[in-house]
Amino acid sequence: MIKKFIRDHKVHKDIVAFSFFDYIFFCKPAYLFGPIAMVLVGMYLANFANGELVLGVSAININTLLFTLGLSLVFCCIFIKNEILSLSENVESRFGFIEKSIIGDKISIKTAEIIHNVLLGLGFGFIVGTSWINIFIVAAIYFSWLYVSSCHDDFYKSIVLFSLVAFCLLLSGWLYADNLFSNYLKLILFILLSIPYVFLFSSTIILIQFRINKTNSFIATFLIMIGFVIAYYNNDPVGATTLSVSLPFYFFLLFRGAERDLIRAVRYPIFLLNFFLFTVYPLLMIPLTIIFYLSKYYYWHRFNIHFPALAINDDYN
């Protein structure tokens, strides 16, 4: 009865019609699942490399919360700016079918630009106050991500640049947890431990950024397979488990190639990475669960679409 009330009662359409919800979700908080997970992986790898891995970290660190909030605001600004640029350049998003454009429809481009600038200033302010060395890494992520998002037709250039973005995301987390540059051996270890996650990130980008065909599906699947082997030999439990469980979804995409296989190959590995990170940072479950279900509530009652969704059928929207 409660589920039916939340799903079907008309009062919810009136609730999400308040502009407050539009201003929250034009920042695309559901898109944070990927980049924030990569930063947390960087923190996890720093502790893992030092032999100090502790599972079930439940202590609340204000500094870490502010650092993560600052990163989230900067990443939201990337999503906002990308949508503004796509509107001004009349570029259709590869995943346009999973959501509606809020900027230009519910919120003017000028207002979006002002909010972008305010959030960007706040985000960098939090980062400077909590981990000043990361200001350079996060700035590189911001500008590189915006630049590479415009490279829709250059496959290899996009993959190389997004791989660098992935390394920067992992590096920001590692630098927050440990001084990577104190020992050149740590830098080598960082690269070796990061490769599986960079391959996972790059595979996801291939599926999102480019038209899917057998060649692209094979490259993405191959990267996941190699990433799993490297993570396994690194004795990395989070990386090896995430990639091994994700691999079947890539096989379905490679051999069957249905649209629903594409959606699963993008969404499930992101979910799995966050899920296995829960074993290290269980408190991560709280904000991600709130974002997930609040996003489902908003997109369903505002636009009549199921997003984000993990149950993917033929009628996935």
Side-chain angles (χ1 to χ4, degrees), residues 96-112:
F97 54 80
I98 62 174
E99 62 169 279
K100 302 294 184 180
S101 176
I102 299 176
I103 299 176
D105 181 16
K106 310 297 183 184
I107 298 173
S108 69
I109 294 179
K110 182 177 180 180
T111 301

Side-chain angles (χ1 to χ4, degrees), residues 223-239:
L223 289 176
I224 294 296
M225 293 176 64
I226 298 300
F228 163 69
V229 172
I230 295 173
Y232 178 80
Y233 280 100
N234 286 341
N235 292 318
D236 175 6
V238 172

Side-chain angles (χ1 to χ4, degrees), residues 24-296:
I24 292 294
F25 286 97
F26 98 111
C27 296
K28 304 184 186 302
Y31 285 18
L32 292 172
F33 293 166
I36 289 297
M38 292 290 284
V39 174
L40 292 176
V41 166
M43 297 181 188
Y44 149 75
L45 289 178
N47 295 323
F48 176 73
N50 290 327
E52 301 172 354
L53 179 61
V54 178
L55 300 180
V57 178
S58 57
I60 298 178
N61 187 301
I62 299 299
N63 201 67
T64 303
L65 287 177
L66 293 177
F67 176 66
T68 307
L69 175 60
L71 288 172
S72 300
L73 292 176
V74 173
F75 296 151
C76 285
C77 289
I78 293 174
F79 307 145
I80 293 170
K81 196 68 174 180
N82 270 335
E83 185 167 346
I84 292 173
L85 293 174
S86 68
L87 290 172
S88 61
E89 298 173 6
N90 197 26
V91 176
E92 291 186 4
S93 170
R94 174 67 185 91
F95 274 13
F97 54 80
I98 62 174
E99 62 169 279
K100 302 294 184 180
S101 176
I102 299 176
I103 299 176
D105 181 16
K106 310 297 183 184
I107 298 173
S108 69
I109 294 179
K110 182 177 180 180
T111 301
E113 288 276 13
I114 294 173
I115 296 175
H116 164 273
N117 295 338
V118 172
L119 294 181
L120 190 64
L122 287 173
F124 277 113
F126 284 129
I127 293 168
V128 169
T130 54
S131 179
W132 67 267
I133 194 172
N134 259 301
I135 194 69
F136 306 105
I137 305 299
V138 177
I141 293 171
Y142 175 82
F143 290 109
S144 299
W145 199 323
L146 289 179
Y147 172 73
V148 73
S149 294
S150 64
C151 303
H152 294 283
D153 300 323
D154 195 329
F155 179 86
Y156 295 105
K157 182 178 181 180
S158 294
I159 297 307
V160 170
L161 291 176
F162 264 121
S163 296
L164 292 176
V165 169
F167 268 116
C168 287
L169 289 169
L170 295 166
L171 180 59
S172 65
W174 189 304
L175 285 177
Y176 179 81
D178 186 30
N179 184 5
L180 179 65
F181 303 116
S182 63
N183 188 329
Y184 76 92
L185 292 177
K186 279 188 177 182
L187 183 59
I188 296 174
L189 187 58
F190 163 74
I191 295 173
L192 292 175
L193 291 174
S194 297
I195 289 174
Y197 299 97
V198 172
F199 283 177
L200 176 61
F201 191 86
S202 299
S203 298
T204 304
I205 292 301
I206 289 173
L207 302 184
I208 294 175
Q209 188 89 344
F210 298 97
R211 189 64 59 181
I212 296 305
N213 52 43
K214 285 294 183 182
T215 300
N216 292 351
S217 298
F218 174 79
I219 293 174
T221 305
F222 180 75
L223 289 176
I224 294 296
M225 293 176 64
I226 298 300
F228 163 69
V229 172
I230 295 173
Y232 178 80
Y233 280 100
N234 286 341
N235 292 318
D236 175 6
V238 172
T241 308
T242 299
L243 290 165
S244 63
V245 178
S246 300
L247 194 54
F249 303 113
Y250 282 85
F251 282 141
F252 271 103
L253 176 63
L254 178 62
F255 294 111
R256 185 169 63 180
E259 192 75 10
R260 62 183 181 274
D261 297 322
L262 167 62
I263 305 301
R264 288 177 179 135
V266 171
R267 296 184 188 176
Y268 288 1
I270 295 173
F271 164 76
L272 289 168
L273 180 58
N274 281 278
F275 180 79
F276 292 120
L277 277 174
F278 289 163
T279 61
V280 183
Y281 306 111
L283 294 180
L284 177 66
M285 183 181 298
I286 297 174
L288 293 191
T289 301
I290 293 173
I291 290 174
F292 181 82
Y293 283 104
L294 195 58
S295 296
K296 287 178 71 71

